[in-house]
């Protein structure tokens, strides 16, 4: 049987009946050593994250991932640690080491994992031992398979459990979560054949069971019940629509394309839901009259053999349809034309529509999201899907070319392919694990891609290679990637021998495999835990050819955006790129080039600075040459110093500063007194001392005469006034260097143009500042592909339109900062919201993950509107004021833009090492979670908010 629902294996209290089995006792043939009596029983792992991590160590087996592993070859090492192998029914072997700390505590190591502490408990946490008399009678019955065969698989009696007619006596029963419906764990045996069951997610009609460590198959209490869980059993049994015509019907020509569905309560045909007006049977043939609010339709049908039937709109035009996929590799599809480069791109919108069978309009979630990778901006755009009460939905979004998008519905995720100016229409039968069907413009393509999805959904490569990448040399890693690719190709070829796959689907899938390989090959440094150096070099990248770079068809691959991302940021592609932020003299030149006049005070500032530089040219040159010579050491030292600086008082900060820099000796003394866990290398200390001795006393005196607090404040004020100009200048300089490197390495290829576009549009999108007409023309000239040049204009206009729309939006408040000391800023902000739950998002306008998280949170914020919860957004001066003002109207909530000092205090208070960073405050104004997990699935956040709002 196939699993209708899968849950992570580490969730100890499963949503299923877990069935695990083995037929042999502890193996002592090769060893007379046994585990001590004290280790047998229930153990709880110390995960520290609140997850159930229970473990049963039985006399005959050790439980892992709901599977029993029989002890093999038990040994006691000289250090007192017990070592043994354990094997399950599939002959999978696990290696264990066990250190006994006390009668109630052990350390256990499985395979190459670290030792983990386990504490012994009389019963599993949140459970109690019961007898069969305590087990509900609803469970004590015969349970049938839901694989279409209706076999009697389990029979539960007062003293025995029969599995496939074989009787097992019950050794023990444990009831998990006894205050709820809970689940029951049974250990049963027949001679030396032990079996273990977890009964969960049951009612009088259905329950779920697993085999040998699997995650769960559905069972039913009556053969006449459907093979999927429904709540309205009585309506199902009372339905007059014939059983033999029910189901999701596929064309019988070998294409395996979905045609229509007839259920006990309604039909889905021609992208619509239909009610049954009447069903008549004459001489073995059916006449079915369907109706909806607007029209009626008549369908004729006749039952066939082997789960087939004939349907048509007249008795003379009946065609054969099937409930099972057909294997006809020789089938030929008319008009099966592959994608061509000259017909690929279009500025339009794609539509994704469909119906969710089994949607509960009274459930907690009534929306979904579609995530669209925009390869030209480098961003992922998200679009809300509103689900109607009948389960129907439709969403339209911008699209430039055929591409695969990711869709997330309640309890359901999928990738589908969409095209500009076309509709992807999908029926999602939530009652079936494989209930995914398409019709309309690109139905065959999606149907075929879905049938190949299992090839790329194999996560063993991640488990065996990617998370252990540091165990592989670069050459060995490359070999593993190619081996994985070859295995996928072999699986693809095996499928092609047995069933039909359209040429277009094969084209897309092959591109997925190819660019998936290139993405993985470039991902070594991404998965490596060693962040100090890059292993990938130019020689390693020799597998990339101009043909790979210049393939426009690659945009239809789901892996292409990630491939471009890896290519864009891999060190050999960019080399050393840096831009020095302009100082007042340089800023004055930039302003002059833009015809921006300086004030009288600014002119005086620039004049004095020029005079200072001229008079102290020799001293300044010495410092510059010293900086260049010791650039890397100074960079490392500065990074460490900044982490120390955040932990100093204002008095200590003033003490360590001197005319020739930071007093390193005093810094070391303060660090020792405070017990700060930061250490400077001898080279870093030596360079700082050398810097202090670089100039003569007289030279330092001349420099100090200019570096007064007054001059410093004037310079700072001048720079802050024109920070938008400075940011634009820096981005322009970076872009110029980056584009130069890209052209140098990739030439005038399509991928080079895509990366160019991402530099231009990605920066514009993050800063939310559109290009001027002159900047737009200059940007378009940077790309050679005419369509991408057009996309740059379209995206620029989209930003302009968004800014205009935002001007009329309400629901956001740009708050003035409370007048208080920097170290009191958080308390001052939060004090306004006593009596409300406060979610704080530390973010920045330029932070892509921050903006993505804000988008993902948007539907949940809408659901919580009117509740006692406030969403507070805090950013700092790194968010340009113009970008900030343009963005926040689209982010409902309370907004604060703090100073650098205030941000430093906040970063220290909440240990903010990166953004986005989320914090939660309760109604009493107490911080209850200093760091919440990333915003991904909203269920976790819903639960957190719900719990706090109840208090």
């Amino acid at each position: 049987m196939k699993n209708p629902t899968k849950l992570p294996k580490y969730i100890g209290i499963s949503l299923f009946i877990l069935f695990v089995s083995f037929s042999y006792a502890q193996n002592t043939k090769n060893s007379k050593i046994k585990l001590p009596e004290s280790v047998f029983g229930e153990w709880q792992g110390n995960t520290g994250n609140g997850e159930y991590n229970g473990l049963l160590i039985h006399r005959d087996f050790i439980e892992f991932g709901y599977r029993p592993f029989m002890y093999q070859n038990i040994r006691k090492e000289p250090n007192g640690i017990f070592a043994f192998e354990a094997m399950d029914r599939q002959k999978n072997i696990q290696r264990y080491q066990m250190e006994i700390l006390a009668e109630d505590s052990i350390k256990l190591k499985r395979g190459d994992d670290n030792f983990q502490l386990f504490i012994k408990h009389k019963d599993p946490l949140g459970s109690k031992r019961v007898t069969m008399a305590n087990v509900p009678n609803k469970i004590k019955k015969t349970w049938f398979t839901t694989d279409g065969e209706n076999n009697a698989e389990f029979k539960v009696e007062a003293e025995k459990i029969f599995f496939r007619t074989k009787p097992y006596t019950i050794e023990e029963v444990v009831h998990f979560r006894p205050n709820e419906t809970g689940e029951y764990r049974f250990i049963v045996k027949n001679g030396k054949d032990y079996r273990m069951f977890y009964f969960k997610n049951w009612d009088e009609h259905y329950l779920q069971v697993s085999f040998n460590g699997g995650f769960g198959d559905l069972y039913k209490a009556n053969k006449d019940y459907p093979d999927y869980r429904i709540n309205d059993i009585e309506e199902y049994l009372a339905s007059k629509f014939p059983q033999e015509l029910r189901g999701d019907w596929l064309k019988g020509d070998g294409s395996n394309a979905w045609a229509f569905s007839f259920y006990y309560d309604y039909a889905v045909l021609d992208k619509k839901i239909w009610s049954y007006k009447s069903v008549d049977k004459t001489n073995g043939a059916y006449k079915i009259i369907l109706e909806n609010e607007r029209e009626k339709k008549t369908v004729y049908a006749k039952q066939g053999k082997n789960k087939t039937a004939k349907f048509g709109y007249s008795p003379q035009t009946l065609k054969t349809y099937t409930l099972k996929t057909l294997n006809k590799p020789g089938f030929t599809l008319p008009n099966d034309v592959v994608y061509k480069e000259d017909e690929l791109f279009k500025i339009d919108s794609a539509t994704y529509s469909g119906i969710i069978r089994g949607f509960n309009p009274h459930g907690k979630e009534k929306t979904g999201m579609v995530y669209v990778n925009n390869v030209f901006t480098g961003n992922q755009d998200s679009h809300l899907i509103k689900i109607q009460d009948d389960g129907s939905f439709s969403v339209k979004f911008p699209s430039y070319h055929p591409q695969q998008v990711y869709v997330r519905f309640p309890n359901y995720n999928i990738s589908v392919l969409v095209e500009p100016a076309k509709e992807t229409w999908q029926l999602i039968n939530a009652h079936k694990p494989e209930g995914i069907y398409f019709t309309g413009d690109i139905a065959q393509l999606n149907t075929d891609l879905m049938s190949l999805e299992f090839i790329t959904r194999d996560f063993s490569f991640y488990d065996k290679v990617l998370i252990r990448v540091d165990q592989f040399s670069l050459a060995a890693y490359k070999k593993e990637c190619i081996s994985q690719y070859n295995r996928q190709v072999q699986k693809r070829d095996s499928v092609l021998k047995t069933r039909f796959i359209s040429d277009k689907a094969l084209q897309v899938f092959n591109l997925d495999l190819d660019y998936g390989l290139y993405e993985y090959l470039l991902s070594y440094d991404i998965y490596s835990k060693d962040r100090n150096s890059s292993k990938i070099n130019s020689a390693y990248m020799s597998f990339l050819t101009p043909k790979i770079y210049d393939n426009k068809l690659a945009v239809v691959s789901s892996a292409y955006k990630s491939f471009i991302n890896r290519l864009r940021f891999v060190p050999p592609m960019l080399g050393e790129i840096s831009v020095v932020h302009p100082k007042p003299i340089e800023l004055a030149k930039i302003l002059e080039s833009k015809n921006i006049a300086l004030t009288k005070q600014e002119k005086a500032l620039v004049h004095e600075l020029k005079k200072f530089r001229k008079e102290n040219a020799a001293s300044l040159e010495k410092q510059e040459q010293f900086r260049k010579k010791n650039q890397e050491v100074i960079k490392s030292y500065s990074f460490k110093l900044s982490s120390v600086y955040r932990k100093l008082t204002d008095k200590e900060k003033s003490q360590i500063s001197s005319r020739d820099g930071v007093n390193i000796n005093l810094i070391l003394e303060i660090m020792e007194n405070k017990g700060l866990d930061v250490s400077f290398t001898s080279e870093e200390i030596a360079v700082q001392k050398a810097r202090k001795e670089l100039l003569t006393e007289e030279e330092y005196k001349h420099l100090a005469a200019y570096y007064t607090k007054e001059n410093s404040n004037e310079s700072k004020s001048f720079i802050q006034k024109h920070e938008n100009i400075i940011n634009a200048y820096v981005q322009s300089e970076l872009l110029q260097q980056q584009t130069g490197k890209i052209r140098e390495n990739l030439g005038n290829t399509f991928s080079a143009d895509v990366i160019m576009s991402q530099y231009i549009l990605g920066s514009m999108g993050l800063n939310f500042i559109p290009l001027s007409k002159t900047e737009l023309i200059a940007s378009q000239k940077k790309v050679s592909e005419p369509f991408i040049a057009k996309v740059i204009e379209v995206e620029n206009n989209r930003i302009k339109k968004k800014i205009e729309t935002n001007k009329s939006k309400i629901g956001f408040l740009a708050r003035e900062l409370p007048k208080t000391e920097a170290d009191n800023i958080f308390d001052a902000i939060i004090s306004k919201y006593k009596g409300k739950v406060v979610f704080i998002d530390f973010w920045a306008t330029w932070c892509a993950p921050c903006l993505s998280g804000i988008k993902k949170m948007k539907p949940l914020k809408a659901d919580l509107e009117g509740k006692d919860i406030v969403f507070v957004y805090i950013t700092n001066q790194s968010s340009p004021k113009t970008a900030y003002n343009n963005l926040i109207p689209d982010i409902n909530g309370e907004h604060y833009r703090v100073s650098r000092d205030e941000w430093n205090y906040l970063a220290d208070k909440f240990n903010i090492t990166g953004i986005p960073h989320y914090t939660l405050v309760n109604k009493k104004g107490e911080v209850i979670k200093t760091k919440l997990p990333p915003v991904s699935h909203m269920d976790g956040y819903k639960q957190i908010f719900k719990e706090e709002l109840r208090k």
Side-chain angles (χ1 to χ4, degrees):
M1 292 177 61
K2 294 181 179 178
N3 297 338
T5 310
K6 292 191 175 182
L7 292 182
K9 61 185 178 183
Y10 52 77
I11 301 180
I13 301 179
S14 161
L15 292 178
F16 317 110
I17 297 179
L18 177 68
F19 168 98
V20 285
S21 162
F22 54 89
S23 304
Y24 26 84
Q26 180 169 310
N27 184 355
T28 58
K29 182 177 180 180
N30 299 322
S31 171
K32 294 182 179 180
I33 299 176
K34 295 184 179 181
L35 294 175
E37 285 287 323
S38 64
V39 306
F40 300 134
E42 307 285 352
W43 297 85
Q44 172 68 27
N46 182 20
T47 60
N49 57 11
E51 292 174 355
Y52 174 80
N53 191 24
L55 172 71
L56 172 63
I57 302 181
H58 194 273
R59 295 177 183 279
D60 297 302
F61 67 90
I62 184 169
E63 181 186 10
F64 169 69
Y66 308 142
R67 282 183 295 179
F69 282 76
M70 288 297 301
Y71 304 120
Q72 306 282 308
N73 190 23
I74 300 173
R75 308 172 300 281
K76 189 173 184 180
E77 305 292 352
N79 58 6
I81 291 177
F82 286 90
F84 57 90
E85 286 74 49
M87 184 168 68
D88 69 357
R89 288 181 68 83
Q90 285 76 40
K91 301 192 182 302
N92 297 308
I93 294 177
Q94 298 279 4
R95 293 178 290 107
Y96 286 91
Q97 293 182 53
M98 180 189 295
E99 181 182 358
I100 300 174
L101 304 176
E103 286 197 359
D104 64 349
S105 58
I106 61 172
K107 283 186 176 179
L108 192 66
K109 175 182 172 69
R110 182 178 63 83
D112 295 325
D113 293 342
N114 296 324
F115 273 99
Q116 185 179 347
L117 177 66
F118 284 83
I119 305 299
K120 195 171 189 178
H121 291 260
K122 180 181 177 182
D123 299 319
L125 288 183
S127 72
K128 67 178 182 180
R129 296 183 189 278
V130 297
T131 67
M132 282 301 289
N134 304 115
V135 175
N137 289 327
K138 291 178 181 179
I139 291 178
K140 297 173 183 175
K141 61 179 71 171
T142 300
W143 296 95
F144 301 90
T145 60
T146 56
D147 57 359
E149 302 299 327
N150 287 328
N151 293 322
E153 192 97 324
F154 294 93
K155 185 180 180 182
V156 183
E157 295 184 346
E159 297 180 359
K160 292 182 180 181
I161 293 179
F162 289 79
F163 171 63
R164 294 174 184 169
T165 71
K166 187 175 180 178
Y168 290 83
T169 57
I170 298 167
E171 185 177 282
E172 71 167 34
V173 185
V174 172
H175 187 190
F176 289 93
R177 302 194 314 282
N179 295 329
E180 307 171 29
T181 303
E183 69 179 73
Y184 292 87
R185 186 187 77 185
F186 300 88
I187 294 180
V188 301
K189 64 179 180 179
N190 181 311
K192 291 185 178 180
D193 179 12
Y194 281 87
R195 294 187 184 270
M196 194 173 172
F197 306 94
Y198 283 81
F199 285 63
K200 176 64 197 290
N201 202 18
W202 54 268
D203 56 33
E204 62 180 313
H205 304 303
Y206 293 95
L207 54 73
Q208 287 179 285
V209 184
S210 285
F211 288 87
N212 298 326
F215 294 108
D217 287 330
L218 186 68
Y219 289 83
K220 57 188 181 181
N222 189 313
K223 288 184 178 182
D224 293 332
Y225 291 172
D227 291 337
Y228 47 86
R229 187 187 295 272
I230 60 173
N231 295 321
D232 48 352
I233 286 289
E234 287 73 18
E235 183 182 348
Y236 176 87
L237 295 175
S239 172
K240 295 182 180 180
F241 193 82
Q243 285 271 6
E244 60 268 25
L245 297 183
R246 298 182 192 180
D248 302 301
W249 293 96
L250 312 179
K251 293 179 181 179
D253 56 8
S255 67
N256 293 318
W258 175 77
F260 39 74
S261 292
F262 290 101
Y263 304 119
Y264 71 92
D265 49 350
Y266 64 78
V268 179
L269 179 69
D270 296 337
K271 305 180 184 179
K272 300 171 186 174
I273 294 175
W274 302 82
S275 299
Y276 300 119
K277 181 175 176 59
S278 64
V279 181
D280 298 316
K281 185 178 182 181
T282 306
N283 298 324
Y286 292 93
K287 180 181 179 181
I288 306 163
I289 298 180
L290 306 172
E291 64 178 359
N292 58 32
E293 293 178 352
R294 297 183 179 179
E295 57 185 318
K296 293 182 181 179
K297 190 183 291 286
T298 301
V299 177
Y300 296 87
K302 196 170 186 179
Q303 183 183 3
K305 296 179 179 180
N306 299 322
K307 297 194 174 182
T308 65
K310 290 185 177 181
F311 293 89
Y313 291 120
S314 73
Q316 296 76 33
T317 59
L318 299 181
K319 292 183 180 180
T320 299
Y321 295 85
T322 176
L323 291 174
K324 289 188 174 181
T325 56
L326 300 178
N327 294 327
K328 290 186 178 181
F331 173 75
T332 302
L333 182 72
N335 303 315
D336 186 9
V337 181
V338 298
Y339 288 118
K340 298 176 182 178
E341 286 191 353
D342 58 350
E343 301 172 356
L344 198 63
F345 299 107
K346 183 182 292 186
I347 294 173
D348 210 311
S349 295
T351 302
Y352 174 58
S353 308
I355 293 170
I356 302 175
R357 162 72 174 167
F359 174 71
N360 179 9
H362 306 295
K364 295 179 180 179
E365 295 185 69
K366 297 182 181 180
T367 61
M369 294 291 288
V370 57
Y371 299 95
V372 184
N373 286 330
N374 188 330
V375 73
F376 300 118
T377 64
N379 299 326
Q380 185 181 75
D381 303 319
S382 56
H383 304 276
L384 181 70
I385 304 173
K386 295 180 180 179
I387 309 171
Q388 305 304 312
D389 286 352
D390 63 359
S392 62
F393 62 88
S394 187
V395 62
K396 197 172 185 178
F397 47 86
S399 178
Y400 294 128
H401 54 80
Q403 68 178 114
Q404 295 170 70
V405 300
Y406 180 71
V407 179
R408 195 182 79 231
F409 282 119
N411 306 314
Y412 176 80
N413 304 316
I414 190 175
S415 292
V416 296
L417 192 138
V418 299
E419 284 190 31
K422 292 187 178 181
E423 180 186 43
T424 296
W425 196 97
Q426 182 179 25
L427 169 65
I428 301 168
N429 186 347
H431 292 143
K432 295 168 62 177
E434 71 281 9
I436 301 166
Y437 307 101
F438 297 92
T439 192
D441 297 333
I442 41 181
Q444 189 68 53
L445 175 55
N446 271 302
T447 298
D448 293 343
L449 288 176
M450 193 66 62
S451 71
L452 295 169
E453 191 180 36
F454 76 96
I455 297 175
T456 52
R457 281 267 175 127
D458 178 6
F459 298 113
S460 60
F461 183 68
Y462 177 83
D463 295 330
K464 293 177 181 178
V465 179
L466 296 182
I467 63 173
R468 307 173 191 271
V469 71
D470 291 316
Q471 298 175 13
F472 297 87
S473 66
L474 199 57
Y477 172 76
K478 190 174 190 177
K479 186 176 179 181
E480 289 290 338
C481 290
I482 294 172
S483 295
Q484 165 75 354
Y485 172 81
N486 290 335
R487 286 192 294 271
Q488 292 174 332
V489 169
Q490 288 171 3
K491 289 179 182 178
R492 177 205 64 194
D493 293 344
S494 177
V495 170
L496 294 177
K497 291 176 182 177
T498 59
R499 68 172 181 256
F500 166 77
I501 299 293
S502 64
D503 289 344
K504 183 176 280 189
L506 191 58
Q507 177 195 34
V508 174
F509 187 73
N510 287 341
L511 287 166
D512 280 346
L513 293 187
D514 290 346
Y515 282 85
L517 170 63
Y518 308 146
E519 175 201 344
Y520 275 136
L521 287 171
L522 293 175
S523 297
Y524 183 92
D525 292 332
I526 297 291
Y527 289 101
S528 173
K529 293 181 175 63
D530 179 9
R531 300 299 181 191
N532 296 321
S533 62
S534 170
K535 306 294 188 302
I536 293 179
N537 52 41
S538 298
Y540 173 84
M541 293 175 61
S542 61
F543 66 89
L544 293 170
T545 64
K547 184 178 179 181
I548 292 172
Y549 294 141
D550 209 27
N551 186 359
K552 296 178 185 178
L553 291 168
V555 296
V556 305
S557 165
S558 59
Y560 185 67
K561 180 175 178 287
S562 295
F563 162 70
I564 287 294
N565 176 271
R566 302 295 189 266
L567 192 62
R568 176 178 168 181
F569 294 106
V570 71
M573 190 60 60
L574 292 178
E576 291 293 330
I577 288 179
S578 64
V579 176
V580 177
H581 281 240
K583 293 178 181 176
I585 292 176
E586 290 72 31
L587 176 56
K589 291 179 180 178
I590 295 169
L591 294 173
E592 184 182 352
S593 69
K594 294 180 175 293
N595 297 318
I596 299 175
L598 301 184
T599 65
K600 184 177 180 180
Q601 187 179 2
E602 289 170 344
K603 287 179 180 178
L605 170 69
V606 172
H607 174 76
E608 287 300 316
L609 184 53
K610 286 180 178 179
K611 180 181 175 184
F612 163 75
R613 285 189 180 181
K614 184 177 180 180
E615 292 174 350
N616 297 275
S619 300
L620 296 174
E621 179 62 20
K622 280 186 197 178
Q623 289 183 326
E624 178 62 17
Q625 292 304 319
F626 182 85
R627 185 192 65 79
K628 288 181 178 179
K629 181 181 178 181
N630 300 283
Q631 188 170 305
E632 290 303 315
V633 179
I634 294 172
K635 184 178 177 181
S636 172
Y637 167 82
S638 299
F639 179 78
K640 293 177 183 178
L641 183 63
S642 65
S643 67
V644 172
Y645 197 77
R646 287 199 299 267
K647 295 177 171 61
L648 302 183
T649 65
D650 290 340
K651 183 178 179 181
E652 288 169 335
K653 288 176 184 177
S654 63
Q655 287 175 340
I656 65 170
S657 300
S658 63
R659 66 183 185 184
D660 51 347
V662 173
N663 187 327
I664 185 64
N665 292 324
L666 184 55
I667 274 282
L668 295 173
E669 182 183 331
I670 292 173
M671 286 170 56
E672 184 177 357
N673 292 337
K674 285 179 170 283
L676 300 181
D677 188 21
V678 179
S679 60
F680 297 109
T681 66
S682 57
E683 186 179 15
E684 289 167 347
I685 293 172
V687 166
Q688 292 311 306
K689 289 182 177 179
R691 175 193 273 179
K692 187 174 181 180
E693 298 168 359
L694 183 64
L695 303 180
T696 66
E697 186 72 22
E698 189 66 22
E699 287 173 321
Y700 274 126
K701 189 181 293 184
H702 282 292
L703 296 182
Y706 179 79
Y707 292 141
T708 63
K709 187 173 183 179
E710 183 182 355
N711 284 343
S712 176
N713 288 339
E714 282 189 21
S715 296
K716 186 177 180 180
S717 177
F718 180 45
I719 287 171
Q720 286 180 346
K721 177 182 175 181
H722 300 288
E723 66 175 351
N724 287 341
I725 301 292
I726 292 173
N727 288 333
Y729 166 81
V730 170
Q731 289 170 5
S732 174
E733 289 296 303
L734 280 174
L735 178 62
Q736 189 171 341
Q737 292 183 42
Q738 290 165 340
T739 54
K741 286 286 185 181
I742 291 299
R743 287 298 182 203
E744 180 184 327
N745 288 293
L746 300 183
N748 290 321
T749 60
F750 179 74
S751 290
D753 279 349
V754 169
I755 294 175
M756 293 285 190
S757 175
Q758 288 188 6
Y759 282 136
I760 296 164
L761 296 177
S763 173
M764 181 185 72
L766 287 175
N767 291 318
F768 222 64
I769 302 173
L771 302 172
S772 66
K773 187 174 181 179
T774 303
E775 289 169 333
L776 174 62
I777 294 171
S779 296
Q780 289 177 307
K781 288 180 179 178
K782 292 181 184 294
V783 298
S784 54
E785 171 60 44
F787 182 79
I788 296 181
K790 182 64 177 175
V791 167
I792 292 173
E793 182 180 359
V794 170
E795 291 289 339
N796 194 53
N797 290 337
R798 188 171 290 152
I799 290 287
K800 287 181 179 179
K801 185 177 179 181
K802 185 72 173 175
I803 291 171
E804 286 303 310
T805 303
N806 283 351
K807 288 178 181 179
S808 60
K809 285 193 174 182
I810 58 175
F812 75 99
L813 284 171
R815 293 288 192 183
E816 290 291 327
L817 287 168
K819 296 187 182 301
T820 184
E821 294 298 320
D823 56 346
N824 295 323
I825 190 65
F826 183 78
D827 293 336
I829 290 173
I830 294 305
S831 64
K832 299 179 181 180
Y833 310 115
K834 286 280 180 69
K836 295 181 181 290
V837 177
V838 186
F839 174 79
I840 302 107
D841 184 343
F842 296 96
W843 72 296
T845 59
W846 46 263
C847 168
C850 299
L851 299 177
S852 175
I854 288 169
K855 280 186 179 180
K856 290 174 182 176
M857 186 66 76
K858 201 169 186 177
L860 180 54
K861 286 167 65 177
D863 289 344
L864 294 170
E865 193 171 348
K867 305 287 186 184
D868 285 333
I869 185 168
V870 179
F871 291 83
V872 172
Y873 297 87
I874 301 177
T875 188
N876 60 18
Q877 301 298 306
S878 71
S879 293
K881 208 161 192 177
T882 302
Y884 176 76
N885 290 335
N886 287 341
L887 267 173
I888 62 172
D890 205 34
I891 307 170
N892 285 2
E894 309 258 318
H895 292 267
Y896 297 88
R897 185 170 176 264
V898 300
S899 69
R900 286 179 175 84
D901 283 344
E902 289 164 339
W903 181 270
N904 287 341
Y905 278 108
L906 292 169
D908 181 54
K909 182 179 181 71
F910 297 108
N911 191 28
I912 300 174
T913 56
I915 53 174
H917 182 106
Y918 308 115
T919 296
L920 193 67
V921 175
N922 66 16
K923 292 180 179 180
K924 297 177 183 178
E926 302 164 338
V927 176
I928 54 172
K929 293 185 184 292
T930 57
K931 186 175 182 180
L932 288 161
V935 175
S936 51
H937 297 292
M938 288 293 100
D939 291 344
Y941 273 91
K942 270 188 179 179
Q943 188 61 30
I944 291 170
F945 293 158
K946 185 178 178 181
E947 288 176 2
E948 288 304 316
L949 286 168
R950 274 202 304 257
K951 295 178 181 177

